[in-house]
Amino acid sequence: MDLDMKTLCDLGGIEVNTQPFILIIFGGGGDLSQKKLLPALYNLFKLDKLNNDSYILSYGRKERTQAEYRTLVKTSVEKTFKGKKVNIENSFLEKFSYFNGDSEKLEGIDNINKYICKFKGIKKYQIIFYLATPPNLAKNILKLIQNLELCDKPFKKKIVMEKPFGIDTVSAINLNDNLHKIFKEDEIYRIDHYLGKETVQNILFFRFGNSIFEPLWNRSYIDHIQITVAEDIGIGSRGSFYEKAGVLKDIIQNHMMQLIALVSMEPPTNFEADCIRDEKVKIFKNISSMSEEYMAENLVLGQYGHGKIKQEDVAGYRDEKNVSKDSNMGTFFSGKFHVDNWRWAGVPFYVRAGKRLNKKLTEIVITFKTPPLKLFGNTCRDILANELIFSIQPEEKISLSINMKYPGVENYPHPVEMNFNYSKLDTISLTAYERLIVDCIKGDLTLFARQDGIEEMWKVIDPIVKYFNKINFKFPNYPAGSWGPVESRHLLEKDNRKWRI
């Protein structure tokens, strides 16, 4: 059963009214830029959502001519169209300029300074620094930015930083301190691309815009919540990064914590950025602390071994490039969390995330309590609980499962799913990175993490990382193409529950 989309007003497309900007991308030739940023900028250009008087400067270690870098931009965009021919306009490519430099030396950044000084009316531009680089380079890049004089004239500046933000609570605090020497808090955009996805944003609208659900959104009616962030891909070329971060710092500390907060937060006073972020921080602070005994019973860490993905043999984690042959790093995590407040007391949040799992899937499942009485006799003994499902990938949709009577004489239950699928809308929908770039240009901080939120998320994860670092695991403990270690299933089975998938 599909739901029709109706509106009460003329939406009129996506309006983006921005002042001219100069976007400076550190790591402009890296994987993140090629796979995400450059295609996103092109799509915004095609949608006429970028100010015409705007420019993009890329800063990287590799020596390239301007022509070589613009060819890289063109190739990166073409790859997103999966082989389809696309005519990339010169007017887009001409927005790009490339500067070679080392993050530990000032020569390259001086060249950027000289280049920007040639712009007429520099005061009209906002300068956006984007750190598309490994986290360990952040401190050096901030020093470079401090030395970017920009012709000794005042200008509106912003900075965008990718996750993970720091490697623990202490490093996150130090990084925030360094940032605040150059930028005000409302100039800092700590990006988590999951928050740019339409379904994730719609969680709040669904909850607070529908009077039929919010009264049920509590411990009295909800049995438990499942959140899955599964990928069928391995770590690819990110071996060096993953050996330092693992699944806990790569996914749980940021994506998973944000999804938990969106599902469980209290209604904000309004939809302004700080009001929403205030409520998220309260959730992070209310996530129950865990003893080592609790973690031993309710947390599972895993690492993938050899297996099959889509009938093709794939290597185990320890055989990936730049990974130690006896690595103890986790690529899978599952656990049971609790939010200690009035609304959620006693409701378990089951989470799992990992690489090389059975399929690509990100979803949030709200499972409601079953009816207290079996009114329809023994034939309905196994009536299913109602479930509300926010699917984030591979497709973005919202589903509600309800029980109906199956046609006929007998009282047989028949589950029916009501679906709202974004792919069926005849409207423009921005990708996550496109949406977040637009919000940064506009100055909307709603979908970006705040300083205290980052630090509180680390406070939840640090004890878990510390606990697992003391254990010598017998890895690998799940084959690629499975749903993770068998202990992950046991986590729910001992509570008489099971993963939806």
Side-chain angles (χ1 to χ4, degrees):
M1 180 187 298
D2 292 330
L3 301 179
D4 291 332
M5 185 69 171
K6 298 179 180 179
T7 62
L8 298 177
C9 58
D10 180 11
L11 299 179
I14 303 168
E15 292 297 329
V16 182
N17 298 313
T18 64
Q19 69 183 95
F21 65 87
I22 299 172
L23 176 63
I24 303 174
I25 305 175
F26 292 89
D31 283 350
L32 176 64
S33 292
Q34 292 187 50
K35 293 178 181 178
K36 299 294 184 181
L37 296 185
L38 301 180
L41 288 166
Y42 178 70
N43 284 334
L44 291 174
F45 171 81
K46 290 293 289 183
L47 291 170
D48 197 25
K49 305 304 177 186
L50 298 182
N51 191 293
N52 290 331
D53 192 14
S54 297
Y55 301 89
I56 303 157
L57 315 182
S58 286
Y59 184 86
R61 282 190 174 187
K62 188 172 181 178
E63 292 188 8
R64 292 184 174 97
T65 64
Q66 299 301 333
E68 288 172 339
Y69 184 72
R70 289 174 181 177
T71 299
L72 179 146
V73 173
K74 185 173 183 291
T75 302
S76 300
V77 173
E78 288 173 339
K79 285 181 179 178
T80 66
F81 289 88
K82 298 180 180 179
K84 296 180 181 178
K85 289 186 178 181
V86 56
N87 183 27
I88 300 175
E89 297 88 337
N90 286 333
S91 56
F92 174 70
L93 297 176
E94 288 169 358
K95 287 183 172 293
F96 288 85
S97 298
Y98 184 78
F99 296 85
N100 167 244
D102 191 317
S103 64
E104 297 182 358
K105 298 178 181 178
L106 295 178
E107 289 87 346
I109 207 71
D110 284 342
N111 290 332
I112 288 181
N113 188 66
K114 293 174 184 176
Y115 180 84
I116 291 177
C117 285
K118 297 177 182 178
F119 282 77
K120 293 182 179 179
I122 184 65
K123 288 184 179 181
K124 74 177 182 179
Y125 291 93
Q126 56 173 323
I127 313 295
I128 304 173
F129 303 97
Y130 199 121
L131 272 61
T133 55
N136 60 302
L137 296 180
K139 187 175 181 180
N140 288 340
I141 293 172
L142 288 175
K143 289 181 179 178
L144 292 183
I145 293 174
Q146 244 178 332
N147 284 278
L148 188 59
E149 298 173 353
L150 294 175
C151 318
D152 295 323
K153 295 180 180 179
F155 59 95
K156 184 177 179 62
K157 62 185 184 300
K158 300 173 182 175
I159 186 168
V160 183
M161 300 194 69
E162 288 276 344
K163 62 90 178 170
F165 191 89
I167 59 172
D168 54 21
T169 305
V170 173
S171 63
I173 292 172
N174 290 336
L175 185 52
N176 278 323
D177 289 343
N178 287 328
L179 273 168
H180 288 146
K181 292 176 183 177
I182 311 172
F183 300 91
K184 300 174 183 177
E185 180 60 30
D186 62 4
E187 297 172 334
I188 303 171
Y189 293 73
R190 302 173 186 86
I191 193 170
D192 183 340
H193 72 275
Y194 262 54
L195 297 183
K197 294 179 179 291
E198 283 289 350
T199 313
V200 174
Q201 298 170 52
N202 211 4
I203 293 172
L204 296 184
F205 284 83
F206 190 92
R207 284 185 58 190
F208 304 130
N210 295 290
S211 60
I212 61 174
F213 287 106
E214 184 56 24
L216 308 180
W217 214 264
N218 56 62
R219 68 185 189 280
S220 298
Y221 298 98
I222 292 178
D223 181 77
H224 69 280
I225 294 171
Q226 298 180 20
I227 306 178
T228 296
V229 180
E231 296 180 302
D232 56 4
I233 60 172
I235 60 165
S237 61
R238 300 200 304 158
S240 297
F241 164 76
Y242 229 78
E243 281 290 84
K244 297 175 182 177
V247 66
L248 287 168
K249 298 179 182 181
D250 182 43
I251 299 176
I252 306 301
Q253 185 272 336
N254 36 73
H255 298 337
M256 192 65 77
M257 289 295 108
Q258 290 287 348
L259 294 179
I260 290 175
L262 285 170
V263 169
S264 59
M265 62 183 273
E266 294 296 319
T269 305
N270 55 53
F271 263 48
E272 292 180 0
D274 275 335
C275 290
I276 292 174
R277 298 194 292 181
D278 285 345
E279 298 303 329
K280 285 185 182 180
V281 170
K282 291 177 185 177
I283 293 298
F284 301 143
K285 290 182 176 181
N286 285 332
I287 292 178
S288 302
S289 58
M290 305 177 191
S291 66
E292 290 196 358
E293 290 76 17
Y294 181 91
M295 287 190 275
E297 287 289 322
N298 295 286
L299 305 183
V300 177
L301 195 69
Q303 184 190 94
Y304 66 84
H306 297 274
K308 287 183 178 291
I309 298 289
K310 299 176 182 176
Q311 284 73 55
E312 292 187 8
D313 291 325
V314 295
Y317 175 75
R318 291 180 176 183
D319 295 318
E320 302 279 18
K321 186 179 179 180
N322 296 322
V323 171
S324 170
K325 295 301 180 183
D326 58 354
S327 174
N328 213 34
M329 188 57 67
T331 60
F332 173 94
F333 172 84
S334 65
K336 181 166 67 172
F337 289 78
H338 288 275
V339 177
D340 286 339
N341 63 16
W342 189 266
R343 182 186 291 264
W344 297 110
V347 178
F349 287 68
Y350 299 101
V351 305
R352 63 176 173 174
K355 298 286 188 180
R356 285 296 188 207
L357 296 179
N358 185 266
K359 64 180 180 179
K360 181 178 181 179
L361 175 74
T362 300
E363 68 174 20
I364 301 169
V365 182
I366 315 295
T367 302
F368 293 88
K369 292 183 177 180
T370 53
L373 296 175
K374 302 186 183 302
L375 301 177
F376 307 109
N378 291 336
T379 56
C380 292
R381 180 173 297 167
D382 296 325
I383 192 168
L384 299 177
N386 301 127
E387 290 181 333
L388 179 61
I389 304 162
F390 296 93
S391 299
I392 299 167
Q393 61 180 17
E395 59 180 346
E396 295 186 274
K397 66 178 183 178
I398 299 174
S399 306
L400 176 64
S401 68
I402 59 176
N403 293 301
M404 306 287 287
K405 179 184 177 297
Y406 194 81
V409 177
E410 300 294 336
N411 289 323
Y412 290 116
H414 180 57
V416 177
E417 201 170 79
M418 304 170 67
N419 294 310
F420 166 66
N421 196 317
Y422 276 94
S423 65
K424 296 184 178 181
L425 288 181
D426 184 21
T427 186
I428 296 172
S429 180
L430 299 182
T431 66
Y433 268 95
E434 290 164 18
R435 168 63 191 269
L436 293 172
I437 290 172
V438 166
D439 281 359
C440 177
I441 296 170
K442 290 169 58 180
D444 186 347
L445 285 154
T446 304
L447 300 179
F448 298 86
R450 199 171 59 192
Q451 172 187 357
D452 52 349
I454 291 288
E455 293 169 9
E456 291 299 331
M457 286 189 286
W458 275 118
K459 289 177 183 178
V460 174
I461 297 303
D462 279 351
I464 299 174
V465 172
K466 183 178 179 181
Y467 167 75
F468 281 128
N469 281 344
K470 296 191 297 185
I471 301 174
N472 185 21
F473 291 97
K474 293 182 180 179
F475 283 159
N477 61 351
Y478 71 95
S482 70
W483 278 110
V486 66
E487 291 85 357
S488 179
R489 296 198 302 273
H490 295 164
L491 180 67
L492 274 74
E493 288 171 353
K494 65 185 180 182
D495 293 339
N496 294 317
R497 300 183 178 105
K498 61 180 181 180
W499 292 108
R500 193 182 82 89
I501 296 178

